[in-house]
């Protein structure tokens, strides 16, 4: 069936209405004729599209039918439209010189036009420095991507359908409850049991992913010019939020025990926020030691700073005993726990949460409802059921096995290089390994060659704010099939061996 202008694109009739309402002394039939002719010439109406019937146009544009017919007849006579008896009136197949931007169909790809830096705010320009790795990437070795092929979509869709169907009318309105109570309760049970987080369901605020949580934290707890400590190397998603909020982002080195707080700048400005990934440091993969955790809590207390505990992928531990969250270590600690469903389910879901100390709960709820608006309550209700019925823990268990196997496959593929001195991170947890390299030149060469192979290699040096960073590669293995991992891993081993002359 031909596309119909006006049935699936009522905007055309509306746009004609606007055109006709514009100030002009020309008769209505002339104005309608000119508008349609111009749109056809510009490619806004394309050949083969069916025009709404003259009756409908007359009715919706409040014109006499004869006025509409006069305009259409003229366009038919000039070859812009053609009448097909019994089928309707169609845009004729005539070739016109259309400019790309007029038609909107062949506009140049984004990025080819530039905006002068002067047109962006200085924060905007700074933010772009954190956006180097924003492209959508799949397969080996895109970091942070879960096994999307293993997500139980049929079951999930059934739950979604059911909850969409049963959406209470009040959920269609603006919300400010901090999220669906059933989800906050299910999460609270899960966090208390599996992560030793100290919380009540009321303390949980559901947000659209950890990223929105960082945004909110930055807005609510710091002012422009305030200092935030971040891990070096670290997660540039959180750093981007802090930078965009106008913070002074101070990298603090990470060693084998996590953020090395004793190496943070002494004296001078106190941090307002300290962002850490203690369970599984991103990207180095180390776990913060107990001594460091206690030192960090003490430092935060001393500076009256808030620790932002980013617990993004702690569900995936292999062999090691689960490590309790920093948030639960000491009663009344100055910690805000940030969780996400991006790794454990899928990133496009855009659901995450904050566990807030009680005094911050209502201010954050109100600010979030004002700044970002709550919503997606049916989706949240479906997720609550997904957790309550045990599908969530089953999925985590399955993914743990899957990722363990995928990591083993990667290690096997890289074994020839490892035998000759390539060093890999321990991989006791998470969804990626780090391969440490000796020099930045090797890192650069491998990253460039991988592009030709359609393999994503993330340079470790890019995770450092102070350049030059340590050279290496962040190898995400969770989101790629075993055969892809095998192929990409063998390729990498071969290239590394060739480059190192081993
Ligand atoms: C360290 C870290 N924290 C948090 C996230 C999750 O962010 P979000 O919930 O916004 O998808 C990621 C995702 O890559 C991450 O690597």
């Amino acid at each position: 069936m031909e596309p119909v202008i006006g049935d699936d694109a009522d905007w055309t009739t509306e746009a004609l209405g606007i055109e006709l309402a514009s100030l002009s002394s020309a008769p209505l039939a002339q104005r309608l004729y000119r508008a349609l002719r111009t749109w056809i010439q510009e490619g806004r109406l394309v050949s083969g599209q069916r025009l709404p019937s003259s009756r409908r146009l007359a009715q919706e544009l409040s014109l006499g039918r004869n006025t509409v017919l006069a305009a259409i007849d003229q366009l038919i006579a000039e070859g812009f439209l053609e009448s097909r008896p019994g089928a309707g009136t169609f845009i004729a197949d005539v070739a016109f010189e259309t400019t790309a931007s007029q038609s909107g169909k062949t506009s140049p790809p984004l990025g080819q036009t530039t905006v002068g830096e002067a047109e962006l705010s200085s924060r905007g320009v700074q933010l772009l420095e954190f956006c180097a790795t924003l492209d959508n990437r799949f397969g080996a070795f895109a970091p942070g991507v879960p096994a999307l092929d293993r997500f139980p979509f049929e079951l999930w869709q059934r739950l979604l359908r059911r909850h969409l169907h049963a959406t209470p009318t009040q959920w269609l309105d603006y919300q400010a409850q901090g999220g669906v109570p059933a989800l906050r309760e299910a999460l609270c049970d899960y966090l208390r049991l599996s992560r030793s987080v100290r919380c009540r369901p009321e303390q949980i605020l559901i947000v659209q992913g950890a990223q929105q949580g960082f945004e909110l934290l930055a807005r609510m707890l710091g002012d422009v010019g305030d200092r935030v400590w971040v891990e070096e190397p670290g997660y540039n998603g959180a750093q981007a939020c802090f930078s965009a909020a106008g913070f002074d982002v101070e990298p603090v080195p990470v060693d084998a025990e996590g953020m090395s707080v004793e190496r943070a700048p002494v004296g001078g400005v106190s941090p307002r926020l300290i962002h850490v990934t203690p369970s599984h440091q991103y990207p180095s993969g180390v776990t913060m030691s107990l001594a460091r955790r206690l030192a960090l809590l003490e430092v935060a207390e001393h500076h009256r700073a808030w620790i932002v505990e980013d617990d993004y992928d702690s569900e995936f531990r292999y062999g090691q005993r689960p490590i309790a969250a920093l948030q639960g270590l000491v009663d009344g600690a100055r910690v805000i726990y940030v969780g996400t469903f991006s790794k454990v389910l899928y990133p496009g879901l855009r659901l995450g949460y904050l566990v807030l100390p009680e005094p911050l709960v209502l201010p954050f709820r109100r600010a979030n409802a004002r700044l970002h608006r709550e919503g997606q309550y049916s989706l949240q209700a479906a997720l609550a059921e997904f957790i309550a019925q045990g599908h969530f823990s089953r999925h985590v268990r399955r993914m743990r096995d899957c990722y363990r196997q995928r990591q083993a496959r990667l290690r096997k593929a890289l074994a020839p290089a490892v035998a000759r001195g390539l060093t890999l991170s321990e991989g006791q947890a998470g969804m990626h390994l780090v391969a440490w390299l000796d020099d930045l030149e090797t890192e650069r060469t491998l990253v460039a060659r991988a592009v030709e192979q359609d393999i994503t290699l993330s340079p470790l040096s890019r995770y450092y704010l102070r350049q030059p960073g340590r050279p290496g590669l962040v190898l995400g293995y969770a989101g790629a099939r075993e055969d892809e991992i095998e192929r990409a891993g063998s390729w990498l081993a071969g290239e590394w061996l060739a480059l190192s002359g081993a």
Side-chain angles (χ1 to χ4, degrees), residues 422-423 434-444 458-462 464 467-474:
L422 177 70
T423 315
V434 174
W436 310 100
L437 299 173
D438 288 336
D439 56 87
L440 288 166
E441 188 49 39
T442 306
E443 182 192 85
R444 213 170 301 133
S458 305
L460 179 66
S461 63
R462 211 191 275 158
Y464 287 77
Q467 291 299 318
R470 188 171 169 189
L473 299 169
V474 179

Side-chain angles (χ1 to χ4, degrees), residues 144 209-212 214 235 277 282 310 312 340 342-343 350-351:
Q211 198 69 10
Q212 195 181 70
F214 301 139
Y235 176 49
T277 48
Y282 191 80
D310 178 0
Y312 64 106
T340 177
S342 289
K343 312 292 148 185
R350 301 318 303 146
L351 282 178

Side-chain angles (χ1 to χ4, degrees), residues 264-282:
V266 279
V269 191
S270 288
R272 280 295 289 158
L273 297 177
I274 306 174
H275 174 263
V276 281
T277 48
S279 302
H280 184 231
Q281 203 275 328
Y282 191 80

Side-chain angles (χ1 to χ4, degrees), residues 223-494:
D223 287 305
V224 172
D226 276 350
R227 181 158 290 185
V228 54
W229 289 356
V230 298
E231 296 167 323
E232 175 91 318
Y235 176 49
N236 68 15
Q239 292 166 3
C241 282
F242 301 141
S243 170
F247 283 10
D248 175 17
V249 182
E250 176 76 39
V252 179
V254 166
D255 63 17
E257 290 189 67
M259 181 189 264
S260 176
V261 274
E262 64 280 9
R263 285 164 70 197
V266 279
V269 191
S270 288
R272 280 295 289 158
L273 297 177
I274 306 174
H275 174 263
V276 281
T277 48
S279 302
H280 184 231
Q281 203 275 328
Y282 191 80
S284 75
V286 302
T287 301
M288 189 181 268
S289 66
L290 180 61
R292 278 281 171 75
R293 286 170 191 243
L294 294 171
L296 181 62
L297 290 172
E298 214 176 291
V299 166
E301 195 63 47
H302 169 76
H303 289 290
R304 308 292 298 154
W306 289 102
I307 298 170
V308 180
E309 177 175 18
D310 178 0
D311 206 23
Y312 64 106
D313 73 354
S314 60
E315 287 83 5
F316 305 121
R317 306 205 69 85
Y318 319 112
Q320 246 187 15
R321 282 217 337 254
I323 289 158
L326 179 64
Q327 191 265 12
L329 206 56
V330 175
D331 203 14
R334 295 182 64 84
V335 181
I336 296 165
Y337 180 94
V338 183
T340 177
F341 289 102
S342 289
K343 312 292 148 185
V344 77
L345 300 182
Y346 60 97
L349 183 61
R350 301 318 303 146
L351 282 178
Y353 46 93
L354 303 179
V355 180
L356 294 158
E358 300 214 357
L360 294 182
V361 170
L362 288 182
F364 267 65
R365 248 193 227 178
R366 288 171 59 198
N368 186 46
R370 178 81 287 176
L371 210 54
H372 302 302
R373 298 286 193 210
E374 287 189 19
Q376 309 273 36
Y377 269 33
S378 306
L379 182 71
Q380 291 185 29
L383 181 53
E385 191 178 340
F386 188 80
I387 298 174
Q389 286 191 351
H391 302 303
F392 181 78
S393 50
R394 255 192 303 283
H395 183 59
V396 170
R397 269 200 306 278
R398 273 196 219 114
M399 289 309 96
R400 239 180 241 154
D401 288 343
C402 167
Y403 298 162
R404 191 185 284 117
Q405 280 165 25
R406 289 183 176 185
Q407 189 193 127
R409 207 57 177 256
L410 175 57
R411 284 186 182 280
K412 193 167 160 213
L414 291 175
V418 172
R420 297 299 190 96
L422 177 70
T423 315
L424 295 179
S425 57
E426 276 189 25
Q428 294 278 1
M431 302 155 70
H432 68 267
L433 288 179
V434 174
W436 310 100
L437 299 173
D438 288 336
D439 56 87
L440 288 166
E441 188 49 39
T442 306
E443 182 192 85
R444 213 170 301 133
T445 309
L446 287 172
V447 169
R449 288 189 189 168
V451 175
E452 292 155 22
Q453 300 292 319
D454 220 11
I455 293 169
T456 306
L457 282 186
S458 305
L460 179 66
S461 63
R462 211 191 275 158
Y463 292 75
Y464 287 77
L465 291 178
R466 285 214 176 88
Q467 291 299 318
R470 188 171 169 189
L473 299 169
V474 179
L475 306 172
Y477 53 76
R481 290 189 322 266
E482 278 81 349
D483 59 321
E484 288 178 75
I485 293 172
E486 180 114 29
R487 178 188 80 84
S490 303
W491 172 85
L492 179 57

